[in-house]
Amino acid sequence: MVVGVRAPTSQPSRPEPESQAGRPACCSLYHRAVELVGKRWTGAILSVLMDGPLRFSEIKQLVPDLSDRLLSERLKELEVEGIVERCVGEDGSSSRARYALTQKGRALEPAVRALKTWANTHL
Amino acid sequence: MVVGVRAPTSQPSRPEPESQAGRPACCSLYHRAVELVGKRWTGAILSVLMDGPLRFSEIKQLVPDLSDRLLSERLKELEVEGIVERCVGEDGSSSRARYALTQKGRALEPAVRALKTWANTHL
């Protein structure tokens, strides 16, 4: 399967400006990542998908208090970002569809793990 | 004779319930952590403080588009959580106050670093 190759974004030699404090500004890519992954419920959804694909109803069960509407919204956002993919069942019925992390999504595992470690130690 | 009085406690040795999918539910501590760190602007503020203490105006400069009001609000939230501490200048003037990560805040470094690595590779 041919996977879409994305053109590299333009940021030549010096990606971020420096401040008067003599330090680089907050990296815009990191900023985008933390706003994406940290969006309400998204981190929890990613966490339960780390162990393998799940049906919509199963994700709901594993992430308490998450509404159908918000789960649907977050899964669509993650699909658009190429972090989650929706796999329809063999019979083509959407009721058997499962949601799985893509390679890009699975690559978030070290960040999720590090945050879990911090949470278990400090919260 | 009173027989079979069961204590009302539930699942003492099992911190998180399991789903029908046979997996543990999303860890509530991790969930709290990701909602805290992922809150709009918080991840960016933590990132620029990783390199050392900064004044309010310096943080603003390093995190573009962040308003005074929101920076003030986020710093207060992080102080309440014990992640950031406010250090007043030697002369006691609040205008020289600097914000520094506590030990609990610095412990977030592996999570921030992992997310930066992911962002630089995948975004």
Side-chain angles (χ1 to χ4, degrees), chain A residues 6 19-21 23-27 29-44 47-49 51-54 58 61-63 81 83 103-104 107-108 110-112 114-116 118-120 122-123, chain B residues 19-21 23-27 29-44 47-49 51-54 58 61-64 81 83 103-104 107-108 110-112 114-116 118-120 122-123:
Chain A
R6 288 177 60 189
S19 76
Q20 281 168 10
R23 294 199 205 160
C26 177
C27 165
L29 289 178
Y30 161 76
H31 191 196
R32 217 190 122 214
V34 77
E35 301 281 307
L36 172 67
V37 175
K39 203 164 177 179
R40 194 149 167 70
W41 299 110
T42 299
S47 166
V48 298
L49 286 176
D51 297 325
L54 288 170
E58 290 171 330
Q61 200 182 358
L62 292 168
V63 184
E81 291 286 344
I83 289 171
Q103 187 270 331
K104 179 178 175 179
L108 279 164
V112 169
L115 196 57
K116 278 185 181 171
W118 180 84
N120 287 325
H122 292 94
L123 293 185
Chain B
S19 74
Q20 282 168 9
R23 294 200 206 160
C26 178
C27 165
L29 289 178
Y30 161 76
H31 191 196
R32 216 190 123 215
V34 78
E35 303 280 307
L36 172 67
V37 176
K39 202 164 178 180
R40 194 148 167 72
W41 299 110
T42 299
S47 165
V48 299
L49 287 175
D51 297 324
L54 288 170
E58 290 171 329
Q61 201 184 356
L62 292 169
V63 184
E81 290 287 344
I83 290 171
Q103 189 269 330
K104 179 178 175 179
L108 278 164
V112 169
L115 196 57
K116 277 185 181 171
W118 181 83
N120 288 324
H122 292 94
L123 292 184

Side-chain angles (χ1 to χ4, degrees), chain A:
Chain A
M1 191 178 83
V2 179
V3 179
V5 177
R6 288 177 60 189
T9 50
S10 63
Q11 280 173 350
S13 55
R14 195 165 151 199
E16 307 296 339
E18 285 203 2
S19 76
Q20 281 168 10
R23 294 199 205 160
C26 177
C27 165
S28 57
L29 289 178
Y30 161 76
H31 191 196
R32 217 190 122 214
V34 77
E35 301 281 307
L36 172 67
V37 175
K39 203 164 177 179
R40 194 149 167 70
W41 299 110
T42 299
I45 295 165
L46 291 173
S47 166
V48 298
L49 286 176
M50 285 291 165
D51 297 325
L54 288 170
R55 297 205 173 84
F56 189 94
S57 60
E58 290 171 330
I59 301 174
K60 266 208 70 179
Q61 200 182 358
L62 292 168
V63 184
D65 305 325
L66 173 53
S67 70
D68 281 10
R69 185 184 64 79
L70 272 175
L71 175 53
S72 180
E73 205 172 281
R74 289 298 177 268
L75 286 171
K76 280 199 186 101
E77 288 164 2
L78 290 168
E79 275 188 83
V80 168
E81 291 286 344
I83 289 171
V84 161
E85 59 190 352
R86 186 170 175 274
C87 314
V88 181
E90 284 176 18
D91 59 353
S93 72
S94 64
S95 66
R96 307 301 289 168
R98 299 210 297 173
Y99 295 86
L101 293 178
T102 61
Q103 187 270 331
K104 179 178 175 179
R106 285 192 301 277
L108 279 164
E109 206 265 334
V112 169
R113 191 163 14 94
L115 196 57
K116 278 185 181 171
T117 301
W118 180 84
N120 287 325
T121 311
H122 292 94
L123 293 185

Side-chain angles (χ1 to χ4, degrees), chain B residues 98-117:
Chain B
R98 299 209 296 173
Y99 295 86
L101 293 178
T102 61
Q103 189 269 330
K104 179 178 175 179
R106 285 193 302 276
L108 278 164
E109 206 264 336
V112 169
R113 190 161 17 93
L115 196 57
K116 277 185 181 171
T117 302

